[in-house]
Amino acid sequence: MTTVSIDRVSRWFGNVVAVNDVSMTIEPGVTGLLGPNGAGKSTLIHMMSGFLPPSSGSVTLDGAPIWKNQLAYKQIGLVPEREAMYDFLTGWDFVLANAELHDLPDPGAAAQRALATVEMEYAQDRQVSTYSKGMKQRVKMASALVHDPAVLLLDEPFNGMDPRQRMQLMELLRRFGAEGRTVLFSSHILEEVEQLARHIEVIVAGRHAASGDYRKIRRLMTDRPHRYTVRSSDDRALAAALIADASTAGIELDLKEQQLQVQAVDFYRFTELVPRVAKEAGIRLLTVSPADESLESVFSYLVAAK
Amino acid sequence: MNVTVARLTARGLLGRRRGLLLLALPVLLLALSALVRAIAGQDESTASNVLGGLALGTMVPLVGLVAGTGAIGPEIDDGSIIYLLSKPQPRWKIITSKLVVAVGCSVVFAALPTYFAGLILFGTFENLTLGFTVAALIAGIAYSALFLLLGVVSRHAVVWGLMYALLWETVVGQYVPGAQTLSVHQWALSIGEKIASPGVISSSVHLPTAVPLLIVATLGGAWLASSRLTRLTLAGEE
C-alpha cells in the first residue's frame, strides 16, 4: 500500500502561481486529476514524480520526500506527456534499457512482460520513430511498468488516442487499480475521468477545487446554476411559461438581441421543461444554447463555490 | 559508470548527423596533412603549425564540443532524459557514463587522428607527434567535461562552446595574454611541451599551473554537471 501525499503545496514560477496551497492524498486505486488546460495538473505531476521541487509544502511517497530522492523511482512508474523518447531505438531496446536502468535481476524477462502487458510485442522490433501516437503511448506505459511499480503517474495519457486505444488503456489502468496499485492520471475531459476513476481530484487555476467520488463531482457540476440563451418565435410568452417552473431562477428578456437569458437551477428538470413548455404553448424554439458550458466556467464555479 | 546509459549515449551521438560530423573532421585533417606533406615535405615548423593550429586548436575543441554537448544536450532539449532520470541511478553515474562516451569520441575522432596526422607530417622525430597527441588526448578530456556541463546548464550550449573555443581561446588569447591562462588549449600544450624535445612545442602556461587547472576543470565540470542534473526540473507545458 503506497500513498502519495501532497501537503499544503504551492509552486510558483517567478510571479506566476501554478499550484496554490494544494493538499491531497493519492491512495491505492485509480485517481483522476481533472482540470482545464493550464490548471496546474502537469506541475503537480512533475512534483509527484520528482522533477520539480515544491516552492512550499511537501510532496512525499509513504512519508519520504520525492524531490532529489532517486530511490523513490523504485516505486514510481512515470508516463510523461511529452512524446520524445529514444526514437532511434526499437520498442524492445527502449523497454529493455528502462529495465536495465532499474537494475532488475532479469531485465529481458521484465521487458518482455511489460511489452506483453501493453500488447506491443508485435511491433517491438520496429523503431520507435515509426510508431503511431497510440503505440508510443503504450511503449511509454511498458517502460513505466517494467519494474512493477506500486505507483503509476500518467500525464494526459489519453491525449491523441483513438477510442479503441483509449478503451484498452482504461482497461489496463482499471486492472492496476484493482491490483492495489496507486494510479494517478490527469485529464481535462470529465467523461474520460469519470469512466475510469472512482476518485476524482479537481484542480482549477492552481487551486484544489473539489475532491471526491465521481458521482459527487458529477453532481457538483450539474447542480450549479446553468445559464442558457434561448431564441423562439415568442420570447415573452415562453419566458412567462418558464418562470412558472421551479427549475428556473431568473429570466431576462433581451430586447435588443431578441433573446432570453435563462438561469436554470435544476439542470435535468430544465432540459426536460423547455421543449415541453414550448410545445404546449405552440412556440417554436430557434436556439437553446448553454451560455457557460465551457469546462473553464464549470470549474471556476466549483472554485467560487468552495 | 552505467553501461546502459553509455550505450544509449553512444547510439544517440553516433547514429545521427552528428556521427558524420565527427567523422568528417578527422578525415579532413588527415587529407590536409597528406597534402601538406606532399607539398612542403617533412618540415618541423609546418608540422607543428598544422598539429597545433588545426588539430589541437580547431579539431580537438570542435570534436569535444560536438561530443560533450551532444552526449546530453539533445536529451534535455526534447525531454527524453526523463527516462534516464526516473530511475534509481545516482546522477553522478549518469554524468560519468556520458563523460566516458564523450571522451571516447574525443580519443577516436580527435586524439588518434592527431597521432596519424603527426606521423604523416613529421614521423616520430623529436617526439613532436607524441607531444601533440597526448596534448590532444588531455584537451579532449577537459573539453568533454566542460562542454558536457554546458550541455546540462544551457540550451544554447553549442553557441557558448563555440564562443569559448573559437573566440576566447583563439582570438582573445592572441591579444590578451592573460586569457591564455584560462585556456584548455594552452594547458594541454604545456603537457605536450614537456613530452616533445625542448623547444619544439611551446605553451604560454607553465606545467605546475596547467595540471591543477586541468584537473579542476575536468573534475569540477563533471561534478557541477552531476549536481545540476540532480536539480534538473521539467518546465511544464502549460
Side-chain angles (χ1 to χ4, degrees):
Chain A
M1 298 291 267
T2 310
T3 305
V4 179
S5 302
I6 296 170
D7 190 24
R8 309 218 55 176
V9 164
S10 297
R11 171 72 213 194
W12 48 85
F13 298 98
N15 285 334
V16 181
V17 180
V19 168
N20 189 350
D21 196 20
V22 169
S23 296
M24 55 175 80
T25 308
I26 318 294
E27 295 185 323
V30 181
T31 300
L33 185 60
L34 176 67
N37 287 327
K41 303 189 297 293
S42 286
T43 304
L44 264 179
I45 290 189
H46 287 157
M47 289 192 279
M48 283 188 246
S49 54
F51 283 101
L52 195 65
S55 301
S56 72
S58 69
V59 182
T60 52
L61 179 76
D62 281 345
I66 298 175
W67 173 243
K68 286 176 79 177
N69 173 14
Q70 285 112 39
L71 290 179
Y73 295 116
K74 282 184 178 295
Q75 294 180 74
I76 295 177
L78 174 65
V79 182
E81 184 183 7
R82 286 181 79 165
E83 279 225 348
M85 40 210 280
Y86 294 81
D87 286 3
F88 50 87
L89 298 178
T90 63
W92 168 259
D93 287 337
F94 177 69
V95 179
L96 180 67
N98 277 279
E100 289 170 353
L101 288 167
H102 273 295
D103 295 329
L104 300 179
D106 187 351
Q112 204 158 28
R113 205 168 43 237
L115 281 161
T117 307
V118 299
E119 293 171 29
M120 274 296 286
E121 294 151 302
Y122 74 98
Q124 67 183 26
D125 296 323
R126 277 169 51 191
Q127 266 195 3
V128 170
S129 55
T130 67
Y131 286 173
S132 72
K133 191 154 185 169
M135 291 164 88
K136 281 190 179 167
Q137 198 66 27
R138 277 191 281 164
V139 167
K140 274 154 73 177
M141 273 289 282
S143 78
L145 290 175
V146 78
H147 58 304
D148 201 18
V151 177
L152 196 55
L153 304 171
L154 307 100
D155 198 355
E156 296 279 356
F158 300 105
N159 257 1
M161 280 196 159
D162 66 36
R164 199 179 55 90
Q165 291 166 340
R166 198 173 298 220
M167 292 281 287
Q168 260 174 1
L169 182 56
M170 284 195 177
E171 202 39 60
L172 200 60
L173 294 183
R174 245 180 234 124
R175 207 172 81 213
F176 292 144
E179 286 169 8
R181 291 176 217 261
T182 304
V183 179
L184 176 102
F185 72 99
S186 68
S187 168
H188 57 278
I189 299 165
L190 174 64
E191 285 69 26
E192 209 165 75
V193 175
E194 67 177 1
Q195 264 179 56
L196 177 58
R198 289 280 114 178
H199 189 85
I200 299 178
E201 303 285 351
V202 184
I203 173 157
V204 186
R207 293 177 59 195
H208 195 195
S211 164
D213 107 320
Y214 69 102
R215 284 182 227 90
K216 182 181 161 198
I217 302 294
R218 173 54 89 175
R219 213 179 311 121
L220 275 172
M221 298 213 170
T222 50
D223 280 4
R224 73 209 164 85
H226 285 58
R227 291 182 62 239
Y228 288 88
T229 304
V230 180
R231 286 198 185 88
S232 69
S233 55
D234 188 346
D235 285 344
R236 200 172 286 274
L238 184 65
L242 289 177
I243 198 68
D245 192 273
S247 66
T248 56
I251 299 180
E252 185 196 339
L253 188 56
D254 187 340
L255 291 172
K256 212 166 82 191
E257 295 284 324
Q258 300 214 328
Q259 63 186 22
L260 296 175
Q261 297 291 349
V262 184
Q263 186 150 26
V265 283
D266 185 334
F267 173 74
Y268 292 112
R269 193 162 153 185
F270 178 75
T271 51
E272 182 264 334
L273 172 75
V274 178
R276 181 165 52 80
V277 164
K279 201 177 168 202
E280 282 166 7
I283 298 169
R284 247 185 96 199
L285 290 173
L286 303 174
T287 307
V288 180
S289 79
D292 57 355
E293 276 303 277
S294 73
L295 198 62
E296 253 82 344
S297 69
V298 174
F299 285 130
S300 32
Y301 165 74
L302 282 183
V303 177
K306 209 182 173 186
Chain B
M1 173 77 185
N2 181 298
V3 182
T4 309
V5 176
R7 198 180 68 226
L8 289 174
T9 305
R11 288 192 63 173
L13 254 182
L14 303 177
R16 308 175 203 180
R17 268 174 303 170
R18 229 171 279 119
L20 287 177
L21 185 62
L22 283 172
L23 198 62
L25 290 165
V27 167
L28 197 71
L29 175 74
L30 291 176
L32 264 169
S33 303
L35 193 70
V36 167
R37 172 69 198 254
I39 294 170
Q42 191 172 23
D43 176 58
E44 190 207 292
S45 85
T46 314
S48 187
N49 278 340
V50 172
L51 292 178
L54 203 61
L56 188 63
T58 311
M59 188 186 68
V60 173
L62 284 183
V63 168
L65 182 65
V66 173
T69 58
I72 198 159
E75 283 165 82
I76 293 180
D77 274 353
D78 73 11
S80 55
I81 190 96
I82 200 168
Y83 294 101
L84 295 189
L85 297 182
S86 60
K87 301 293 184 291
Q89 298 287 347
R91 301 318 184 215
W92 62 263
K93 245 187 181 175
I94 295 178
I95 289 295
T96 310
S97 313
K98 287 185 170 293
L99 185 57
V100 166
V101 173
V103 168
C105 280
S106 285
V107 171
V108 173
F109 296 108
L112 283 178
T114 301
Y115 179 69
F116 290 122
L119 286 185
I120 293 172
L121 287 163
F122 201 58
T124 54
F125 299 105
E126 295 179 322
N127 276 342
L128 178 80
T129 298
L130 187 65
F132 274 114
T133 303
V134 173
L137 182 74
I138 302 282
I141 296 172
Y143 281 129
S144 297
L146 287 175
F147 293 143
L148 187 72
L149 170 64
L150 267 184
V152 176
V153 299
S154 171
R155 294 206 151 200
H156 310 290
V158 176
V159 177
W160 290 113
L162 275 176
M163 279 175 50
Y164 170 74
L166 298 183
L167 276 181
W168 181 265
E169 290 205 335
T170 326
V171 182
V172 179
Q174 245 168 31
Y175 300 108
V176 188
Q180 298 186 340
T181 315
L182 290 179
S183 153
V184 174
H185 184 187
Q186 294 298 330
W187 302 340
L189 271 180
S190 77
I191 289 175
E193 185 178 14
K194 185 84 187 163
I195 292 169
S197 303
V200 179
I201 301 176
S202 69
S203 165
S204 57
V205 184
H206 296 297
L207 200 60
T209 316
V211 172
L213 284 173
L214 274 167
I215 293 174
V216 166
T218 307
L219 296 184
W223 180 80
L224 257 176
S226 306
S227 108
R228 285 300 292 259
L229 195 63
T230 308
R231 326 186 118 262
L232 186 84
T233 59
L234 290 181
E237 307 232 325
E238 1 189 75

